[in-house]
Amino acid sequence: QADLVESGGGLVQAGGSLRLSCLASGSNFRTNAAGWYRQAPGKQRELVAGISSGGITKYSDSVKGRFTISRDNAKNTVYLQMNSLKFEDTAVYYCNVGVWGDSGSYWPVDWGQGTQVTVSS
């Protein structure tokens, strides 16, 4: 089981940028897929972005072209660069590690505690 610690959340104006980081320990990070989910008040948790152990990425339509997921296996860290932030990006963002399917699907297994991202309009 992986222990995941997110950082980098905060308050930003619409149009601004933030970079989230997630440090993974207690697992063989380089062989796992990783991803970011988010949950806004009153809404279901949704996938934002995922990255396979080999670097294949996928994004939700709502963030495609604005967000970039990346990983540094030497540092056991996965990142989410968020640009052109919108009010509707406000949510708690959760890091996870999991499984990448042959069809490109991503299933999270272990979760971090979450970090708040608030975008002011």
Side-chain angles (χ1 to χ4, degrees):
Q1 183 174 354
D3 292 322
L4 305 172
V5 179
E6 302 101 334
S7 61
L11 174 64
V12 64
Q13 287 189 331
S17 298
L18 282 176
R19 188 176 83 154
L20 305 182
S21 300
C22 175
L23 175 63
S25 60
S27 72
N28 193 358
F29 176 75
R30 65 178 62 245
T31 66
N32 290 331
W36 292 90
Y37 274 66
R38 69 185 180 186
Q39 187 167 21
K43 295 188 177 181
Q44 289 189 329
R45 196 172 292 189
E46 62 174 355
L47 175 67
V48 176
I51 185 166
S52 72
S53 59
I56 300 171
T57 59
K58 65 181 296 177
Y59 298 92
S60 70
D61 289 342
S62 61
V63 306
K64 203 171 294 183
R66 300 187 297 121
F67 290 12
T68 303
I69 189 171
S70 61
R71 63 190 296 160
D72 185 338
N73 290 337
K75 295 182 178 179
N76 278 14
T77 300
V78 59
Y79 303 98
L80 185 68
Q81 177 66 45
M82 305 185 294
N83 299 328
S84 302
L85 282 161
K86 303 176 181 180
F87 175 75
E88 51 264 39
D89 294 319
T90 296
V92 177
Y93 284 71
Y94 297 90
C95 169
N96 36 73
V97 294
V99 178
W100 194 270
D102 291 339
S103 62
S105 298
Y106 170 65
W107 292 279
V109 175
D110 296 319
W111 293 78
Q113 294 299 306
T115 185
Q116 176 70 47
V117 171
T118 302
V119 183
S120 61
S121 58

